[in-house]
Amino acid sequence: MEFGDDRNLYLRDTWREGNTICGVLPLNPSSNGIWPSTKLQDPIANIEFWNYMFPHVQIIFLIVTVLWQFFHFFFKRLGMIRFTSHMLTGILLSKSFLKENTPARNFFSTEDYKDTLFGLVGACSYMMFWFLMGVKMDLSLVRNTGKKAITIGLSSVLLSITVCSLIFFVILRDFGTKNGQTSVKFYEVIVIYSIQCLSSFPVIGNLLFELRLQNSELGRLAMSSAVISDFSTSVLSAVLVFLKELREDKFRLGSMFIGDVNVGDRPLKRAGTGVLFVCFAIYVFRPLMFVIINRTPSGRPVKKFYIYFIIILVFGSAVLADWCKQSIFLGPFILGLAVPHGPPLGSAILQKFESAVFGTFLPFFVATSAEELDTSFLHSWADLKTIFVIVFVSFIVKFALTTLPALLFRMPINDCLALSLIMSFKGIFELGAYAFGFQRGSIRPVTFTILSLYILLNSAIIPPILKRIYDPSRMYAGYEKRNMLHMKPNSELRILSCIYRTDDIHPMINLLEATFPSRENPVATYVLHLMELIGRATPVFISHRLQTRKSEDTSYNSESVIASFDQFHKDFFGSVFVSTYTALSVPKTMHGDICMLALNNTTSLIILPFHQTWSADGSAIVSDSNMIRKLNKSVLELSPCSVGVFIYRSNNGRRTIRETAASFSSYKVCMLFLGGKDDREALTLAKRMARNSRIEITVVCLISSEQRSKQVADWDRMLDLELLRDVKSNALDGGEVIYSERVVDDASQTSTLLKSIGNEYDMFIVGREKGRKSVFTEGLEEWSEFEELGVVGDLLASQDLKCQASVLVIQQQQQMI
């Protein structure tokens, strides 16, 4: 084979000379090193190393990574997410900045590799992104999806597409036409507004993860709505593809002779294969993931063999999805959903691949997708105006049809706006869809350029606005009523019991027994053993219900917690459900573990042990943890449900529930009712305890002389009297309560009353009532030592009162305003 004089002919493994195409076989994608050997006679061996395929791609990877990291270093301070930096990097390396036939453009051009290496790497990057986003997603979001998420999800997508179709093909039918011709094609209009109206779960999920809002009530509502919209559009898309394939095959069969009589059955085979794959993911693959989890000891990493096996299945699912004429990301996304999120398996997969995919491969995919962006096409004002109107109208329609349902469900206005912005966010899915449409010729270069610039602008503006209008301190506050007062009759009471020390185990079990679990009124207990993170780089969260094998690592010291609550479950089998967890984290983030677990399991009550413990005779404080006190205050402030702070005094003169049963006596509980929402919540718990025949409940209601003589005028007092009505008449269902009223006109009389009854009961239940003005406690706030207990709770916990009874302080769920 002869070689020409021009060395540029050797810059590729395949080149053209005259009318003859010559190639080197086998292909040599790797170079011979930075300093090629001069002894080699082959002219190709002396080509610069960066002109070979693999070194060329590696250098582009390096440049893309350095550029987006450089941009993100500055943009993250403005509240922008990483995708904005990815987009800006892609635009910087596109035809808009690197002009044709320049050395830089020739280096970054991917024409020779478009259908081979670059396309393969981009496809794998996109596929892995969808798989990892599926792994991150909690399937309980789908199971627990309510009417609110379904309504918002369907309204923001399907209704938006319907309204946009009506606008563009009826109301604005002649917009953008000039001399009978339109600047934007009919199919282009459909592609633009259809993609603008979509809400992709991976895009929204990635936005929420980067803003750290995925565990907030707003974030969960947004992800649930996105799941509904994604599911509905995926089903609709699959049906349309099936009908299209069926029509094309029937057309081919009817218009020409085909030897294979089974060609018409191909769409049915593909649809059947898709259904079988979904069944495989649900009934085979997901149970297999739990087998892997059960074979992994608590606290131990998942074996690499399992992870590599899962990745092989992911690539196989992409091939299968492509054969079924679906997008290649659909198969990996379904398998990602089937992988249990969180530790140990989901966390292991994310730890293994997240950095590489999100830090290197995904920016590369964005850069190659934005390569064809060329601002030199932006010379026609008619094109700019028409496309801008389509995008703007689509955005307004989607924004409005997301906000209106949220307002109908009485969400706060700021949260409605924030939700609409989240659902209107555009990212990698929209860019990939427009790039795919551009490659297939569905949209023109000018349209692709304008839409890409809009995606950049959208991703740069929405995240900073979200940070301005949404208060992250309210991220765990719920829209739904998650408290005991508003529970349905005979429904399951869900309680999150926190354990800080081994001394907290038996008092907590004693308190749970007092709630009287039965088959008619079951109790679900989620036990969270919290431990300070020492000597580890990353936090650990373990579900002992999933990982059943014992760990060789004994540093967690949760065995006594697990054994004690397992016995509690056996003692009340059929009436109590127990799920035990261990969380190792730094003190500043422990409240997040508690609130997140409560939010995930829709609990109605969180019980926190008090930060002080007493000696056996109740005369001295044994331990006093300022860390636990700060943790309790954080949970009280951010909790998504009601909270109880439990002060346990274990002196010899006091008994437990089981001890009273053995001695045929009653465990005496006093509920002090001063009025207010926290006292109403505490009274609800006391009424439930009254069903237990081993517990004697006394409700002491404080009233002033003024309240006794005058008619009730305020709404809060009317709610109090309504709740007290059945207590006064002793008409409780399945229980009895001793009711008494005490006339108290000032704080000194309240203090005297508490001293007189302080040692008559085994436990007191009181409401916290923070910030509530009352004649019963006026002036005592200044002397309170522990504000997290409220005024009455602080008095009962004070050593000056010499009260030896346990105290449970209740705070009702704080609703969003």
Side-chain angles (χ1 to χ4, degrees):
M1 181 181 292
E2 295 183 359
F3 297 92
D5 295 330
D6 189 358
R7 289 181 59 82
N8 289 328
L9 294 176
Y10 307 116
L11 297 181
R12 302 286 182 263
D13 289 334
T14 302
W15 66 93
R16 182 185 298 272
E17 183 177 5
N19 295 323
T20 303
I21 298 177
C22 301
V24 177
L25 294 175
L27 292 174
N28 182 22
S30 300
S31 71
N32 295 302
I34 298 179
W35 294 282
S37 174
T38 57
K39 296 179 180 180
L40 296 176
Q41 298 299 320
D42 189 352
I44 295 181
N46 295 321
I47 298 174
E48 291 83 354
F49 75 94
W50 56 79
N51 289 315
Y52 287 89
M53 184 181 292
F54 282 168
H56 188 185
V57 173
Q58 289 169 345
I59 293 173
I60 293 179
F61 265 111
L62 178 63
I63 293 174
V64 168
T65 302
V66 170
L67 282 176
W68 87 258
Q69 290 279 11
F70 173 78
F71 290 137
H72 189 59
F73 177 80
F74 297 100
F75 290 163
K76 67 182 179 182
R77 288 159 172 76
L78 301 177
M80 300 181 191
I81 65 172
R82 290 180 294 183
F83 177 75
T84 306
S85 302
H86 299 169
M87 277 292 297
L88 195 59
T89 300
I91 293 174
L92 191 63
L93 302 179
S94 68
K95 293 179 180 180
S96 299
F97 287 87
L98 304 180
K99 299 303 180 183
E100 294 287 350
N101 300 322
T102 60
R105 180 62 196 163
N106 291 336
F107 183 81
F108 285 102
S109 176
T110 59
E111 292 298 330
D112 295 336
Y113 310 137
K114 183 70 74 176
D115 297 327
T116 54
L117 184 60
F118 275 55
L120 181 62
V121 172
C124 291
S125 305
Y126 196 48
M127 177 192 68
M128 285 299 295
F129 166 74
W130 278 80
F131 170 68
L132 293 180
M133 290 307 300
V135 173
K136 285 184 176 183
M137 179 185 168
D138 183 3
L139 269 181
S140 63
L141 285 175
V142 181
R143 293 195 298 268
N144 299 329
T145 296
K147 292 187 296 183
K148 186 185 301 181
I150 294 173
T151 304
I152 294 173
L154 295 178
S155 174
S156 67
V157 177
L158 298 183
L159 192 57
S160 296
I161 293 176
T162 304
V163 172
C164 285
S165 301
L166 179 66
I167 291 174
F168 292 122
F169 297 118
V170 178
I171 301 175
L172 299 179
R173 180 177 54 187
D174 299 327
F175 178 78
T177 58
K178 187 176 182 180
N179 299 326
Q181 295 183 348
T182 179
S183 59
V184 180
K185 298 180 181 179
F186 172 81
Y187 188 73
E188 268 189 328
V189 176
I190 297 177
V191 171
I192 293 171
Y193 76 72
S194 296
I195 295 177
Q196 286 297 315
C197 289
L198 295 180
S199 294
S200 171
F201 166 76
V203 171
I204 290 175
N206 187 55
L207 169 68
L208 296 171
F209 275 106
E210 290 211 34
L211 296 180
R212 297 181 180 180
L213 297 177
Q214 73 276 12
N215 290 323
S216 66
E217 188 79 349
L218 177 69
R220 288 170 179 273
L221 178 60
M223 286 198 284
S224 298
S225 303
V227 167
I228 296 299
S229 62
D230 250 3
F231 176 77
S232 59
T233 52
S234 296
V235 171
L236 181 62
S237 174
V239 171
L240 292 176
V241 169
F242 170 71
L243 294 177
K244 178 184 176 184
E245 290 289 314
L246 195 63
R247 186 185 64 180
E248 291 178 352
D249 278 4
K250 286 183 178 180
F251 175 78
R252 286 197 294 267
L253 283 170
S255 61
M256 59 184 293
F257 175 78
I258 298 179
D260 186 4
V261 295
N262 294 321
V263 171
D265 294 335
R266 286 177 183 171
L268 294 175
K269 290 179 180 178
R270 288 168 180 153
T273 303
V275 173
L276 288 176
F277 173 73
V278 174
C279 293
F280 165 80
I282 296 173
Y283 298 110
V284 178
F285 182 77
R286 185 167 174 83
L288 188 62
M289 298 299 100
F290 284 104
V291 171
I292 294 174
I293 292 174
N294 287 330
R295 293 177 61 87
T296 302
S298 296
R300 291 294 185 182
V302 179
K303 291 182 179 179
K304 293 181 180 179
F305 168 77
Y306 296 138
I307 296 178
Y308 296 148
F309 171 71
I310 293 171
I311 297 302
I312 291 172
L313 291 180
V314 168
F315 279 84
S317 68
V319 175
L320 184 64
D322 184 62
W323 182 82
C324 293
K325 298 297 182 180
Q326 299 295 325
S327 300
I328 62 168
F329 62 76
L330 190 59
F333 183 58
I334 292 174
L335 288 188
L337 293 176
V339 175
H341 81 292
L345 187 55
S347 299
I349 293 174
L350 292 174
Q351 187 177 7
K352 189 80 173 177
F353 297 103
E354 187 175 25
S355 297
V357 171
F358 286 84
T360 302
F361 289 97
L362 206 59
F364 177 82
F365 171 76
V366 174
T368 54
S369 298
E371 178 207 356
E372 297 297 331
L373 188 148
D374 192 350
T375 53
S376 63
F377 287 106
L378 304 180
H379 52 75
S380 172
W381 170 246
D383 285 336
L384 285 171
K385 181 179 68 174
T386 305
I387 297 172
F388 172 79
V389 169
I390 295 173
V391 171
F392 179 75
V393 171
S394 302
F395 177 85
I396 294 299
V397 169
K398 183 175 179 63
F399 191 91
L401 290 177
T402 305
T403 305
L404 290 177
L407 287 173
L408 291 176
F409 282 102
R410 298 181 180 179
M411 286 177 57
I413 183 64
N414 275 7
D415 290 354
C416 292
L417 297 177
L419 178 63
S420 300
L421 287 174
I422 292 172
M423 297 296 286
S424 303
F425 181 77
K426 303 303 170 190
I428 190 172
F429 170 77
E430 290 77 16
L431 177 65
Y434 287 134
F436 181 71
F438 174 74
Q439 292 173 8
R440 295 190 60 182
S442 302
I443 58 177
R444 297 169 298 154
V446 60
T447 306
F448 176 72
T449 299
I450 296 173
L451 293 174
S452 299
L453 293 175
Y454 166 73
I455 292 174
L456 172 65
L457 187 66
N458 179 287
S459 67
I461 291 177
I462 287 182
I465 295 177
L466 280 174
K467 287 191 172 183
R468 292 283 297 178
I469 66 175
Y470 185 70
D471 182 7
S473 66
R474 297 163 56 239
M475 66 181 300
Y476 297 110
Y479 302 117
E480 308 294 337
K481 293 186 186 328
R482 293 176 181 166
N483 52 55
M484 295 176 288
L485 181 61
H486 293 94
M487 284 177 57
K488 295 180 181 179
N490 300 325
S491 60
E492 182 183 60
L493 175 60
R494 297 188 174 189
I495 299 175
L496 172 57
S497 304
C498 297
I499 304 294
Y500 301 143
R501 302 153 295 219
T502 54
D503 293 342
D504 299 329
I505 298 174
H506 293 294
M508 194 65 69
I509 292 176
N510 186 55
L511 181 59
L512 292 172
E513 286 186 23
T515 60
F516 193 55
S518 63
R519 293 185 182 273
E520 295 77 21
N521 299 279
V523 173
T525 305
Y526 302 91
V527 184
L528 180 58
H529 186 200
L530 291 130
M531 303 176 67
E532 186 176 359
L533 184 65
I534 299 174
R536 283 182 181 268
T538 56
V540 176
F541 192 89
I542 301 170
S543 172
H544 298 288
R545 184 169 57 90
L546 293 177
Q547 291 180 265
T548 56
R549 293 179 63 190
K550 291 184 178 180
S551 171
E552 298 174 6
D553 187 355
T554 60
S555 61
Y556 298 118
N557 293 325
S558 294
E559 288 80 3
S560 58
V561 177
I562 298 169
S564 299
F565 280 93
D566 280 349
Q567 185 60 47
F568 173 59
H569 176 246
K570 292 175 183 178
D571 293 342
F572 291 87
F573 186 77
S575 304
V576 170
F577 166 81
V578 175
S579 186
T580 312
Y581 303 85
T582 298
L584 285 87
S585 57
V586 294
K588 289 184 179 179
T589 61
M590 279 185 180
H591 67 276
D593 294 325
I594 298 173
C595 295
M596 182 182 67
L597 190 60
L599 201 61
N600 286 342
N601 295 287
T602 59
T603 60
S604 298
L605 178 64
I606 298 173
I607 302 178
L608 306 170
F610 192 51
H611 67 277
Q612 291 181 345
T613 58
W614 279 264
S615 59
D617 60 1
S619 60
I621 296 175
V622 175
S623 65
D624 189 346
S625 173
N626 191 48
M627 182 200 78
I628 294 177
R629 185 187 179 193
K630 289 181 179 179
L631 173 59
N632 288 349
K633 292 171 73 172
S634 298
V635 175
L636 284 166
E637 184 179 352
L638 302 175
S639 170
C641 62
S642 299
V643 183
V645 180
F646 186 40
I647 306 167
Y648 179 71
R649 289 192 174 99
S650 58
N651 60 77
N652 295 327
R654 297 295 169 191
R655 303 152 296 172
T656 64
I657 300 291
R658 295 189 179 185
E659 288 171 349
T660 56
S663 60
F664 300 99
S665 59
S666 297
Y667 187 80
K668 296 184 177 181
V669 177
C670 177
M671 193 276 138
L672 288 169
F673 192 89
L674 282 70
K677 62 183 182 67
D678 290 349
D679 279 14
R680 291 193 290 271
E681 185 78 359
L683 181 59
T684 304
L685 179 60
K687 289 161 70 173
R688 182 185 176 97
M689 289 182 176
R691 300 172 184 173
N692 194 334
S693 59
R694 294 176 293 175
I695 298 179
E696 180 184 294
I697 297 287
T698 301
V699 175
V700 178
C701 180
L702 306 189
I703 60 172
S704 63
S705 302
E706 185 180 2
Q707 289 175 337
R708 199 169 193 176
S709 59
K710 291 185 178 180
Q711 292 289 333
V712 179
D714 85 79
W715 177 252
D716 208 37
R717 182 61 181 166
M718 291 178 65
L719 293 176
D720 294 341
L721 294 176
E722 180 64 27
L723 194 64
L724 286 168
R725 180 182 298 175
D726 54 355
V727 177
K728 290 180 179 180
S729 60
N730 206 4
L732 294 178
D733 182 18
E736 293 185 0
V737 173
I738 301 171
Y739 177 79
S740 67
E741 291 183 353
R742 302 291 182 93
V743 179
V744 175
D745 291 320
D746 55 37
S748 62
Q749 293 183 14
T750 302
S751 179
T752 303
L753 173 64
L754 294 180
K755 286 181 181 179
S756 65
I757 65 173
N759 291 311
E760 294 180 5
Y761 301 95
D762 298 300
M763 186 171 75
F764 284 91
I765 302 176
V766 298
R768 186 188 179 202
E769 296 299 342
K770 179 186 176 183
R772 185 174 186 268
K773 299 297 182 181
S774 172
V775 66
F776 310 123
T777 58
E778 189 176 0
L780 291 177
E781 299 93 339
E782 303 174 3
W783 302 96
S784 293
E785 184 179 0
F786 306 116
E787 61 174 348
E788 64 270 25
L789 300 179
V791 177
V792 178
D794 181 75
L795 275 174
L796 291 170
S798 173
Q799 288 183 301
D800 297 334
L801 199 67
K802 296 181 180 180
C803 174
Q804 296 183 353
S806 299
V807 182
L808 179 62
V809 180
I810 299 292
Q811 173 187 277
Q812 193 184 62
Q813 173 198 17
Q814 301 183 74
Q815 288 289 323
M816 284 190 170
I817 300 174

